[in-house]
Amino acid sequence: MGALLVGLFPWEKATKALTFFISLTVFILSLQLYTKFDLQDAGFQFKELFDLVPSLGIHYAVGIDGISLWLILLTAFVVPLVVLAGFGSFSQRGYYACILLLEAAVIGTLASTDIFLFYLFWELMLIPAFFLIGLWGGENRMKATIKFVLYTMLGSLLMLVALLYVTHEVHSFDYTKIADHIFADDAQLWCFLAFGLAFLIKVPLFPLHGWLPEAYVEAPAGGTVLLSAVMVKLGVYGLLRFCIPLFPTAAKALAPWIMVLALVGVLHGALMATLQTNFKKILAYSSLSHMGMILLGVFTFSLTGLQGGVLQMVSHGVYMTGLFLLTGMLYERRQSYEMADFGGWAKTTPVLATLFLILMATALGIPGLAGFAGEILILVSVYKANPVLAMISIAGFVLSAWYFFYLYGKIFLGSANKKQKAIFDLSAREIFLLLPLAAAVLWIGLSPNFFLRPMEKSLQANVIEKLKPAPAMTDFAANERRLQEEIEKDKRGSR
């Protein structure tokens, strides 16, 4: 409704303030999801159910559990900051309408408990993302947009085929009924691959990451934030909600392969980041590397690894939001992403340099900041599952220190570039939108248990319990035979 109102608002110059008010209202309202959340309830809460197509059993069914709670709050927290960051660059109503439409689609995807509704929102995300990159992106925006759409559509079409098979088998679009159904092993494999491809492209898992560097670089700063902080998280969410609990046999069989590819992604992203001269592309490859670590934790199938993965998704969303917003501010001042065009900015922009350093330290996993708790949980769980993978993955942290300190040195330290004009430090508006991010990384880093508690019951019940082997069919048969024998004895006794 907000997107529609902004799109039709007659006073275009006022759309920025209207969009910020709407997105801030959504965030304030979303806080009650935590305050009213029952930590002991592992199922869906805040449920709503309305008929959409009763003849086909399709409903508007929504609900939230501990897995989706923090991702919805992260989305609601990030969007007002993205809107506020665009005040200096964008005044078109279409830009802000697309942001609100994307927020609606993301929250709808995370809250859907009807699998058809989930797919509807999943596809809806593509429309505003297409326009954000294609209309307001950089010089090569069309190439980046087409690549992004082609990758995403390929995965979505395969997921649609698997979705139709699953709903046909269960005769329902209700997620809770589908989750209780036990699929045949061969069907699980194909369904996992079809669903998983769509989600792993979104993450993205190496080698399905071809769309990421160009989309991140060409998108406007706000679009890049929404891609990196919000949309890629939906790939991991889809794995936790659908692939692992619905197809546990296939998940356990394919987990070692996915972990190896995730490790390759960690190292590939880190190595590629060290080779870049464009600092926005460095952050893009860094995001790829960090998402690989999250996948490593998730596919250990341990409570520690799953909690670490979800917590790291939230942390990654916060600090990457800050880093990409700061890159946008650097671009506004220099009209370039090339590190060679910068130098010595710590003297002229001390506030900007300080905030960049804090968020960079968070990305490096410095203790006391948001990046540490999730990463240590992931490393511990990966080491228990496979010590070799854990030891190799540490190379990703070493490389991240290399490219981040190199980036910081080239932009903020050393001698100033002679070609650059007078540079101004952050404005009051820019400081206002970055301070909540700095506070958030400290809060998560110092009180990780506050974020871990709500997800524990849901991860245990909805993911880990689903991975336990189902009772063997022979046990059911034996029980049935014993029951039949007792009935026959009773009949003979009666006669």
Side-chain angles (χ1 to χ4, degrees):
M1 289 179 65
L4 183 64
L5 178 62
V6 168
L8 299 176
F9 202 61
W11 299 284
E12 191 163 32
K13 292 183 178 180
T15 55
K16 294 185 287 188
L18 177 63
T19 307
F20 179 71
F21 173 76
I22 292 169
S23 60
L24 187 62
T25 302
V26 171
F27 172 62
I28 293 171
L29 291 174
S30 73
L31 294 176
Q32 65 183 319
L33 296 179
Y34 181 84
T35 58
K36 297 181 180 180
F37 190 82
D38 184 357
L39 298 178
Q40 302 305 315
D41 186 355
F44 290 105
Q45 303 177 39
F46 311 102
K47 293 186 288 187
E48 292 182 0
L49 179 67
F50 302 100
D51 288 337
L52 285 181
V53 188
S55 59
L56 296 177
I58 298 173
H59 302 90
Y60 176 85
V62 292
I64 296 169
D65 67 355
I67 301 173
S68 55
L69 170 68
W70 286 118
L71 296 179
I72 290 176
L73 288 172
L74 172 67
T75 304
F77 172 65
V78 165
V79 170
L81 303 179
V82 170
V83 173
L84 192 59
F87 275 25
S89 306
F90 300 100
S91 59
Q92 301 96 325
R93 62 169 69 93
Y95 174 79
Y96 295 103
C98 282
I99 289 176
L100 291 178
L101 183 60
L102 184 58
E103 180 180 19
V106 169
I107 294 176
T109 302
L110 292 166
S112 297
T113 58
D114 181 284
I115 196 169
F116 179 85
L117 188 68
F118 169 85
Y119 187 79
L120 193 66
F121 279 121
W122 178 271
E123 289 299 289
L124 181 61
M125 281 191 298
L126 189 60
I127 298 172
F130 172 87
F131 287 114
L132 284 172
I133 303 172
L135 292 181
W136 294 285
E139 293 181 3
N140 298 317
R141 59 184 179 273
M142 289 312 299
K143 180 182 177 183
T145 304
I146 292 170
K147 188 177 287 188
F148 170 71
V149 170
L150 289 177
Y151 269 85
T152 306
M153 286 298 296
L154 172 63
S156 297
L157 290 173
L158 290 173
M159 181 167 68
L160 177 61
V161 175
L163 184 150
L164 293 173
Y165 171 81
V166 165
T167 53
H168 179 265
E169 283 290 302
V170 184
H171 303 292
S172 175
F173 290 95
D174 185 348
Y175 173 81
T176 55
K177 292 181 180 178
I178 295 171
D180 290 335
H181 187 82
I182 300 175
F183 295 93
D185 288 352
D186 56 344
Q188 284 197 34
L189 177 62
W190 290 109
C191 288
F192 184 98
L193 291 173
F195 273 95
L197 186 63
F199 299 139
L200 292 171
I201 286 174
K202 189 76 78 178
V203 172
L205 175 72
F206 179 91
L208 306 173
H209 68 290
W211 63 269
L212 181 141
E214 290 183 70
Y216 276 32
V217 171
E218 297 303 326
T224 306
V225 167
L226 294 173
L227 283 172
S228 64
V230 175
M231 289 184 67
V232 298
K233 307 303 185 299
L234 294 177
V236 182
Y237 171 79
L239 295 169
L240 291 170
R241 178 67 73 211
F242 293 94
C243 287
I244 298 173
L246 300 188
F247 318 116
T249 304
K252 287 184 283 188
L254 295 173
W257 299 99
I258 294 176
M259 291 182 74
V260 169
L261 290 175
L263 179 61
V264 173
V266 170
L267 299 178
H268 173 76
L271 285 169
M272 289 299 294
T274 63
L275 302 175
Q276 305 305 314
T277 59
N278 179 311
F279 59 82
K280 195 176 186 185
K281 194 169 283 190
I282 290 177
L283 294 179
Y285 279 112
S286 171
S287 180
L288 172 65
S289 181
H290 290 186
M291 291 304 297
M293 284 300 301
I294 291 171
L295 281 178
L296 277 175
V298 166
F299 278 90
T300 61
F301 298 144
S302 65
L303 182 60
T304 305
L306 290 166
Q307 284 185 300
V310 176
L311 179 62
Q312 190 62 10
M313 279 198 285
V314 178
S315 303
H316 180 269
V318 172
Y319 65 71
M320 290 310 294
T321 294
L323 288 172
F324 277 118
L325 288 180
L326 282 166
T327 61
M329 295 170 191
L330 288 169
Y331 182 82
E332 287 175 2
R333 287 159 171 76
R334 191 70 180 88
Q335 298 300 308
S336 174
Y337 291 120
E338 292 296 323
M339 290 186 290
D341 295 327
F342 294 80
W345 279 44
K347 296 178 182 178
T348 53
T349 59
V351 178
L352 193 158
T354 302
L355 287 170
F356 197 100
L357 184 62
I358 293 171
L359 292 165
M360 187 186 81
T362 307
L364 289 171
I366 300 299
L369 298 175
F372 177 74
E375 285 184 354
I376 201 69
L377 289 174
I378 290 171
L379 277 176
V380 168
S381 61
V382 174
Y383 185 81
K384 289 180 179 179
N386 191 316
V388 175
L389 289 182
M391 297 302 292
I392 296 173
S393 68
I394 291 175
F397 296 102
V398 176
L399 290 169
S400 66
W402 179 3
Y403 60 71
F404 268 123
F405 281 116
Y406 178 74
L407 180 156
Y408 193 84
K410 293 291 287 184
I411 295 175
F412 295 104
L413 306 179
S415 57
N417 189 302
K418 295 180 180 179
K419 296 181 180 179
Q420 63 191 26
K421 300 176 182 178
I423 303 299
F424 299 98
D425 207 349
L426 296 181
S427 65
R429 173 183 61 84
E430 291 169 330
I431 294 173
F432 178 74
L433 73 92
L434 288 168
L435 283 180
L437 294 167
V441 299
L442 285 170
W443 186 13
I444 298 171
L446 297 174
S447 303
N449 201 43
F450 177 86
F451 297 86
L452 293 172
R453 281 199 313 271
M455 65 180 80
E456 181 177 348
K457 297 288 185 181
S458 295
L459 288 170
Q460 183 70 46
N462 301 329
V463 181
I464 295 175
E465 290 296 325
K466 298 291 184 181
L467 289 163
K468 293 181 178 179
M473 294 303 293
T474 53
D475 294 341
F476 288 117
N479 289 336
E480 189 174 356
R481 283 197 301 272
R482 284 195 294 271
L483 182 61
Q484 193 64 36
E485 288 171 2
E486 289 176 6
I487 293 172
E488 291 297 328
K489 285 181 182 178
D490 289 343
K491 287 181 179 178
R492 287 196 294 271
S494 299
R495 287 198 294 271

